[in-house]
Amino acid sequence: MSETKETTEALTEGATPGKKQAVSKDVLPGREWSDYEGILIVVEQRGGVAKKVSWQLLGEGRRLADKLHTHLSALVIGSNVSALAKEAIYRGADKVYLCDSKELENYRTRPYSKVCLSVIREYKPEIVLMGATYTGRDLAGAIATHLPTGLTADCTQLDVDENRLLLASRPAFSEKMLATILCKQYKPQMATARSGVFLALPLDPTRTGEIISVSPQMPEEEIVTQVLDFLEQTERVSLEDQEIIVAGGRGLGGPEGFALLQELADALGGVVGASRAAVDAGWISHDHQVGQTGSTVRPKLYFAIGISGAVQHVVGMQNADMIVAINRDANAPIFKVAHLGIVGDLFTLVPALTEAIKAQKGNSTSVPIAL
């Protein structure tokens, strides 16, 4: 990483094209980091409902904070979100910074980033984490731009070492390996992490903590953007929140094979997933993809059907509670991570399994079936 200078040459709003102006940037002389302490999780919410990745990061943040013998804090931004501040404490935070204001009801980059920068500059956390969602990526990039630090994006593993360095690991080199990235010279250390990778702590209403009110940094009249409406993309599959996923790979032989998987998924009350090979072949859309370049999932039940088990796929689903693999190749790597493996022809096994599940549900007074 190159050294950060006291000023950075950049074009600012209203600047004359071709003429560079000096823009001051936060720089701490002598790299004195002793004032930086604790871990901060930025909680993402919409309509007063937190994204699951935020609670997952609080769970992981709790583990890292205990390892560093430091405190864990959360930042909640929005309108009428005081309940989320309490929930953050119940889920592991020692203190919560709460910025609750009408102009923050909907996410907009500038007002949200200014609140984050204000909290980071005043309270100086040594590590800042947020979800690798569309909003999280946008917000994290905006924050890192104004701080003397780096940002590791889209992490799938987090840890800390004896020197209090954040070990942020993410897919690299065409998704063929994990690279662990360190920010040795700057604070705070920042990273975004994928949903479904870490475990959220269960709610503990007996936990107590401090809630600190934070003022909004921009009045509505200074915010140049307005949110007119939200258009939900209802056709898109959200794999991260599913409890049952039936995924298929190259072994399906073509897009027609996914019709069999859809029938099984419907019988189970789940959704269809896919490997990268199936997506790259054009058999199914990218929003169904599980793996390093797709979604990282942690369902209760995961079917891997016709999937060989390449590492790129396995890292995205290996934390499922139950993995069932169906493959005609008894030596397929997927069987090494599966809890239950079936060697055979999927075109015979899957329809038979679907019919058996439908029959069980039809004869049972309990729906869905117990897994």
Side-chain angles (χ1 to χ4, degrees), residues 14 16 40-41 96 106 252 258-259 266 347:
T16 303
L40 174 67
I41 310 297
V96 178
N106 297 311
L252 293 179
F258 278 97
D266 291 342
F347 295 100

Side-chain angles (χ1 to χ4, degrees), residues 43 45 48 50 55 58 72-77 80-100 201-213:
V43 176
Q45 60 83 29
W55 300 145
L58 265 179
L72 173 67
S73 58
L75 171 57
V76 176
I77 307 173
N80 297 318
V81 289
S82 58
L84 291 182
K86 294 180 180 178
E87 185 174 354
I89 292 175
Y90 297 159
R91 291 188 180 273
D94 299 310
K95 62 179 69 175
V96 178
Y97 306 110
L98 173 62
C99 189
D100 196 319
L201 295 175
L203 277 172
D204 181 3
T206 65
R207 290 194 85 257
T208 59
E210 183 182 8
I211 297 178
I212 302 170
S213 294

Side-chain angles (χ1 to χ4, degrees), residues 223-250:
I223 304 173
V224 296
T225 57
Q226 292 184 349
V227 177
L228 301 179
D229 196 6
F230 281 107
L231 299 178
E232 295 288 344
Q233 190 176 1
T234 56
E235 297 83 4
R236 186 181 184 277
V237 176
S238 179
L239 295 175
E240 294 90 346
D241 300 331
Q242 302 299 324
E243 295 189 348
I244 300 175
I245 298 175
V246 180
R250 195 189 303 274

Side-chain angles (χ1 to χ4, degrees), residues 12-32:
T12 60
E13 293 182 8
T16 303
K19 182 179 180 181
K20 293 183 177 180
Q21 297 182 348
V23 181
S24 66
K25 200 172 174 73
D26 290 331
V27 173
L28 298 180
R31 296 194 185 92
E32 178 52 61

Side-chain angles (χ1 to χ4, degrees), residues 131-153:
T133 61
Y134 292 120
T135 296
R137 291 177 178 131
D138 179 70
L139 181 58
I143 296 170
T145 299
H146 293 280
L147 293 172
T149 193
L151 169 64
T152 306

Side-chain angles (χ1 to χ4, degrees), residues 39-349:
I39 298 175
L40 174 67
I41 310 297
V42 179
V43 176
E44 180 183 342
Q45 60 83 29
R46 177 177 291 180
V49 178
K51 294 287 186 179
K52 287 187 177 180
V53 65
S54 297
W55 300 145
Q56 293 165 2
L57 279 174
L58 265 179
E60 181 67 3
R62 182 72 271 163
R63 182 185 73 84
L64 298 178
D66 291 344
K67 192 172 182 178
L68 291 173
H69 304 289
T70 189
H71 61 269
L72 173 67
S73 58
L75 171 57
V76 176
I77 307 173
S79 179
N80 297 318
V81 289
S82 58
L84 291 182
K86 294 180 180 178
E87 185 174 354
I89 292 175
Y90 297 159
R91 291 188 180 273
D94 299 310
K95 62 179 69 175
V96 178
Y97 306 110
L98 173 62
C99 189
D100 196 319
S101 185
K102 179 62 178 176
E103 61 265 31
L104 299 171
E105 180 178 3
N106 297 311
Y107 173 76
R108 288 175 286 183
T109 306
R110 288 196 69 200
Y112 268 61
S113 63
K114 280 184 172 292
V115 172
C116 291
L117 288 168
S118 175
V119 169
I120 292 171
R121 287 165 176 161
E122 181 173 357
Y123 297 101
K124 294 181 170 57
E126 55 190 308
I127 295 172
V128 176
L129 304 174
M130 59 187 72
T133 61
Y134 292 120
T135 296
R137 291 177 178 131
D138 179 70
L139 181 58
I143 296 170
T145 299
H146 293 280
L147 293 172
T149 193
L151 169 64
T152 306
D154 209 26
C155 296
T156 56
Q157 294 179 16
L158 297 171
D159 207 347
V160 289
D161 67 9
E162 65 278 5
N163 296 314
R164 307 184 75 85
L165 288 174
L166 176 66
L167 309 178
S169 300
R170 54 152 295 152
F173 297 102
S174 300
E175 316 298 329
K176 294 178 181 177
M177 64 183 299
L178 286 177
T180 298
I181 300 171
L182 294 81
C183 184
K184 293 184 176 181
Q185 302 181 48
Y186 304 95
K187 294 286 178 73
Q189 304 164 89
M190 290 185 59
T192 61
R194 292 187 183 184
S195 178
V197 176
F198 306 111
L199 280 175
L201 295 175
L203 277 172
D204 181 3
T206 65
R207 290 194 85 257
T208 59
E210 183 182 8
I211 297 178
I212 302 170
S213 294
V214 177
S215 300
Q217 302 298 303
M218 292 184 71
E220 181 65 42
E221 57 269 22
E222 292 184 10
I223 304 173
V224 296
T225 57
Q226 292 184 349
V227 177
L228 301 179
D229 196 6
F230 281 107
L231 299 178
E232 295 288 344
Q233 190 176 1
T234 56
E235 297 83 4
R236 186 181 184 277
V237 176
S238 179
L239 295 175
E240 294 90 346
D241 300 331
Q242 302 299 324
E243 295 189 348
I244 300 175
I245 298 175
V246 180
R250 195 189 303 274
L252 293 179
E256 299 81 9
F258 278 97
L260 294 177
L261 270 57
Q262 187 64 63
E263 291 183 20
L264 177 57
D266 291 342
L268 289 167
V271 298
V272 172
S275 69
R276 178 176 177 175
V279 172
D280 287 349
W283 299 346
I284 196 168
S285 60
H286 181 269
D287 54 317
H288 292 268
Q289 184 174 325
V290 176
Q292 285 184 349
T293 50
S295 298
T296 301
V297 298
R298 192 188 286 264
K300 292 182 178 179
L301 176 61
Y302 188 90
F303 276 92
I305 301 174
I307 295 175
S308 63
V311 64
Q312 293 94 330
H313 184 79
V314 170
V315 297
M317 44 67 75
Q318 61 187 348
N319 292 318
D321 293 347
M322 172 63 70
I323 300 172
V324 179
I326 299 177
N327 201 298
R328 67 173 61 189
D329 180 6
N331 297 315
I334 192 65
F335 289 123
K336 295 180 180 179
V337 296
H339 299 96
L340 175 63
I342 305 173
V343 178
D345 182 3
L346 69 88
F347 295 100
T348 300
L349 291 170

